[in-house]
Amino acid sequence: MMKNFTQKMMASVAMMFLIGSSLSAQYAMTVNSPASIAGEYEIVPGTIGVQNFAPVTGDVIIGEDGQAIDGNGDGTPGTVLDGCETLTTVATGKIVFLDRGECSFFVKGNAAQAAGAIALIVCNNTGAAPTVMGLGANGEGADITIPCVMASRANCNILKMSLASGAVNVTLGKVTKECEATYDNIVFWGEVEGQGDFTNGFGDWTSINIEPLDRDDVQWVISEDGLPEESRFFGGTKFMDSPTGCSSIASFSAVKYSLADNPNPGSPPYPTYSAELISPSIDCTGKDSIVLEFYALYNNLNNDASSVSVSFDGGMTWESIGLLANLSANTLQDILETERIRIPVPQFSNKADCKIKFTAAQDFYYLAIDDVTLRSGTFRDVRANNFLSGAQNYLAPKNQPSEIPFLIDVQNLGNSAVEISAKAEVLKGNTVIHTQTQNFGVVMPGATYENSPFAETFTPPAEAGTYTIRYTVSSNIGDDDTANNVRSTDFVLEDDGMVMSKLPIDYDNVGGWGIGGQSNRSYGAYYKFPSSKYANGDLYTVESISAGISQDEDSPALEGFLIGEIFTWDDLNGDLAVDPDERTKIGEGRTIILADGTVTFDLTDVNDPDAQVVLNINNGDAILAMIHQNSLNQGVTWRAFAISTGDRYSTTATDLAFDTIGRADASFTPNFCGFEATGSSPDDIDSRIYNRSGQLTYYVPINLGRMPGTAVNDFDASISFNVFPNPTANKLNIDLNFEEAVDYAVVSILDNTGKYIRGMKFDNVTNRSTSMDVSALTNGVYTLQVQTPNGFSTKQFAVQK
């Protein structure tokens, strides 16, 4: 298996001594009156409405539409203040408050604009921070001509309460803050205003159109306030946090050209737009050990061709020194921050005519560049990247510790070749319980050493506690910046654990992942059980399964089901994919979905809806917990809760490490973490092939139950039951008859070696008739075992086809 990507980000060193200062702009709501609440309040501009708007001042009013409708179909009516219908409020010349919820943001924006408002403030409907209000699925809202911003519920309430006593006057617009530019004492180009900071516009820099060639308007532009041009959709209103971003940045907006050519873009692929930004000639004579440094705000969708190139012959020839996709840690819908990037440029040593070229080549979103400098001098900086292996499960019972493979990608950010090594440690609390090292050898300047697992794995003791896996990277000649040398992740073994989960149950970095318009998807987690029973000998049951689902705010309501299934799996063809004929379903359940969020729903045995799913498994066996999205409305976006590669709980590197290590032991059960599949309709769920999930780690906790297993060795002749037909080809019928009611009865099928195949549990049983599907079993003699608190009894039956 190859990983989809490794996130990379450059870092910095100290020795700063040149300092300049300027002002940086961002948006705020300033209350002008009354004096009792005057001051600045946080707002977040939306991607609906006018962008980069000039300050707007006016009195605030609360907008009403007169109808409390259930706009999103979740059974909860909205309010008369949500703006989902035509406003009854006369808003001419006013700034209007509307509540979030029940309809798309662009509906609210159009309603406010139609009522004559000069701006819209949407009040968040939860205690969460305000967020960016996105366009509709087909670009709706881009043509709204008034500013549209969101404020927190708390701040809205402050203003609304003041409105009861009189007028409230506010200004929406950009405010300024102090920012400073600092330079190393070895910077020899870019520290002078106007060279690489775009303070005076492009100056001697040149923008050249590349693609489409007949579109001369496809160019880099100067953004004077530090906000990338037309920064709509994901990452909208994200300011460039560079030292001089307050006084202009270089910006390229592919989304601007894409929406101009197609206002209703639909789903990818989109056309590529490209332009080059070329520096003036730079004299590098007398300089060596040269490093290029710049700040980037890189927001990309599908095209990864944006790059950095250098020329030392005045631009006659160019050499690429990196793709932004590899240099950046920013990933779609995950992280978006301004980054300081450093690249060694030995090609410039003692050259008189050096040039730098930034090529933007994107289909959507944007790229911004600022504060480009060159420095001369040796520096040492090795980095532990955020592609690292951890435990297979974040949460598990104490006697189910997962085997840990160790892997960490390392990078040489310095401009000298160094030997890099990494130390992996496992800590229980503050005590180190395992240590091993990995030597990566000599790594060249700017290079990354990837996908190299440590020689040994480690399985923690079956003891309750919080554990930490810590990686520390170092070089043979020291390091000028040790802040990026350590990465860690953690996991928990619970003393009385009843949950197995890849992710923390309440992890706040879990996002919704999916494709616009995608309604049908399967995804899940693969859970190994190193021990077949609880620490006290009790047997496992699977009581319920959890999942999370989200959708785009402007999409139609979620209507449908989440279906949960538990499988055993035997990879008969060895292709590491779960084919329909290789999996055996042992449990199932479903829950109705009318709104997004986290849900938990019960599972029952696949053979009998009144029975619980029993995991009377063998040591090292595994189950596959799958979630299927089943939408009643095709084309409505359903996004599964998951995390991506680069998150400290991601299992991508763990999967890759197991694949790369290889195992000679034929009895070894493969370790996997997640699977996924895409369907075309709810009708093809049973025929889907589940492939390794790769980049995503899904939120699919299983909630375990337990039943006493200590009496399993006591034969009880009083247990009476019948099995028929015998022999059978497809279904085995079972009649249970007890003289007195028992607390539980477990019915299990064992093969001729005594290995458990499948089973179910009934509570409070006197007489019970059920059946089990045995059509997937091969011909042979099997044992049916019935276990109660008093002991067990068995009967043999044959499968004959």
Side-chain angles (χ1 to χ4, degrees), residues 8 70 91 93 120 136 140 153 157 233 249 313 326 361 464 527 558 560 611-612 614 626 663 679 704:
K8 304 165 186 174
D70 178 9
L120 167 65
E140 297 95 336
R153 181 170 63 182
N157 287 341
F233 297 101
I249 62 173
D313 56 12
N326 295 332
Y527 291 111
L558 292 171
Q612 295 176 340
V614 177
M626 295 298 295
R663 306 297 285 258
L704 301 168

Side-chain angles (χ1 to χ4, degrees), residues 342-641:
R342 282 180 148 176
I343 311 174
V345 192
Q347 300 93 326
F348 278 1
S349 294
N350 204 33
K351 298 295 192 302
D353 197 356
C354 304
K355 288 192 172 185
I356 306 161
K357 177 171 68 177
F358 296 99
T359 301
Q362 296 182 280
D363 60 353
F364 222 65
Y365 299 147
Y366 56 83
L367 169 63
I369 299 293
D370 196 24
D371 291 304
V372 184
T373 60
L374 290 176
R375 63 191 64 220
S376 174
T378 299
F379 71 94
R380 304 160 298 178
D381 187 9
V382 296
R383 178 179 188 268
N385 278 0
N386 57 352
F387 188 77
L388 56 91
S389 176
Q392 297 173 59
N393 303 317
Y394 168 78
L395 192 62
K398 71 176 182 181
N399 72 321
Q400 302 295 338
S402 62
E403 181 183 17
I404 302 169
F406 299 98
L407 181 150
I408 180 82
D409 284 357
V410 300
Q411 193 169 9
N412 181 6
L413 304 181
N415 57 357
S416 302
V418 296
E419 290 186 12
I420 299 180
S421 62
K423 178 173 65 175
E425 299 171 294
V426 179
L427 297 84
K428 183 184 179 187
N430 295 320
T431 303
V432 176
I433 61 174
H434 176 79
T435 301
Q436 61 176 295
T437 59
Q438 165 92 314
N439 194 327
F440 300 95
V442 176
V443 180
M444 300 305 293
T448 300
Y449 203 109
E450 300 178 304
N451 307 342
S452 180
F454 288 52
E456 300 176 1
T457 64
F458 174 71
T459 300
E463 300 172 357
T466 298
Y467 295 77
T468 301
I469 303 169
R470 182 171 65 194
Y471 296 92
T472 305
V473 176
S474 59
S475 81
N476 62 318
I477 59 172
D479 200 323
D480 296 320
D481 179 15
T482 59
N484 56 4
N485 289 34
V486 179
R487 298 274 183 179
S488 64
T489 182
D490 54 301
F491 63 95
V492 178
L493 298 178
E494 291 190 306
D495 187 30
D496 196 25
M498 303 295 285
V499 179
M500 291 187 79
S501 178
K502 302 297 178 188
L503 305 176
I505 300 301
D506 55 353
Y507 191 35
D508 59 9
N509 200 41
V510 174
W513 291 77
I515 299 173
Q518 183 185 78
S519 302
N520 296 283
R521 188 163 184 79
S522 299
Y523 56 90
Y526 187 73
Y527 291 111
K528 286 193 68 175
F529 287 79
S531 176
S532 62
K533 299 177 182 179
Y534 279 99
N536 65 354
D538 288 356
L539 305 179
Y540 285 101
T541 61
V542 179
E543 303 287 341
S544 60
I545 191 169
S546 299
I549 194 78
S550 67
Q551 67 172 148
D552 298 336
E553 182 136 8
D554 59 336
S555 294
L558 292 171
E559 293 182 313
F561 302 89
L562 285 185
I563 299 172
E565 295 182 322
I566 299 289
F567 298 93
T568 58
W569 169 48
D570 186 4
D571 189 18
L572 299 174
N573 58 14
D575 65 354
L576 306 184
V578 184
D579 298 315
D581 62 347
E582 296 177 337
R583 59 188 187 243
T584 301
K585 183 165 60 174
I586 60 175
E588 61 187 2
R590 66 171 54 201
T591 185
I592 297 174
I593 294 295
L594 296 175
D596 55 7
T598 303
V599 296
T600 299
F601 51 101
D602 294 336
L603 297 180
T604 59
D605 188 275
V606 68
N607 292 292
D608 193 320
D610 294 327
Q612 295 176 340
V613 182
V614 177
L615 297 181
N616 189 1
I617 53 181
N618 297 280
N619 289 0
D621 280 357
I623 61 170
L624 181 59
M626 295 298 295
I627 299 292
H628 310 290
Q629 299 167 356
N630 186 353
S631 175
L632 298 180
N633 302 310
Q634 297 303 293
V636 176
T637 303
W638 290 47
R639 301 187 185 275
F641 279 12

Side-chain angles (χ1 to χ4, degrees), residues 570 584 721-734 747-759 772-786 793-801:
D570 186 4
T584 301
F721 66 96
N722 295 314
V723 294
F724 61 94
N726 189 5
T728 183
N730 298 303
K731 183 175 289 188
L732 182 69
N733 298 310
I734 307 160
V747 180
S748 305
I749 294 178
L750 312 175
D751 68 10
N752 60 5
T753 68
K755 181 180 178 180
Y756 172 83
I757 297 176
R758 73 188 62 167
M772 298 182 77
D773 183 359
V774 296
S775 60
L777 300 183
T778 58
N779 286 349
V781 177
Y782 297 84
T783 298
L784 188 81
Q785 175 181 280
V786 177
S793 182
T794 61
K795 289 183 185 295
Q796 289 189 325
F797 69 94
V799 173
Q800 184 176 318
K801 302 176 183 178

Side-chain angles (χ1 to χ4, degrees), residues 152-165:
S152 70
R153 181 170 63 182
N155 287 341
C156 283
N157 287 341
I158 291 173
L159 272 67
K160 288 179 179 180
M161 290 177 65
S162 291
L163 278 173
S165 303

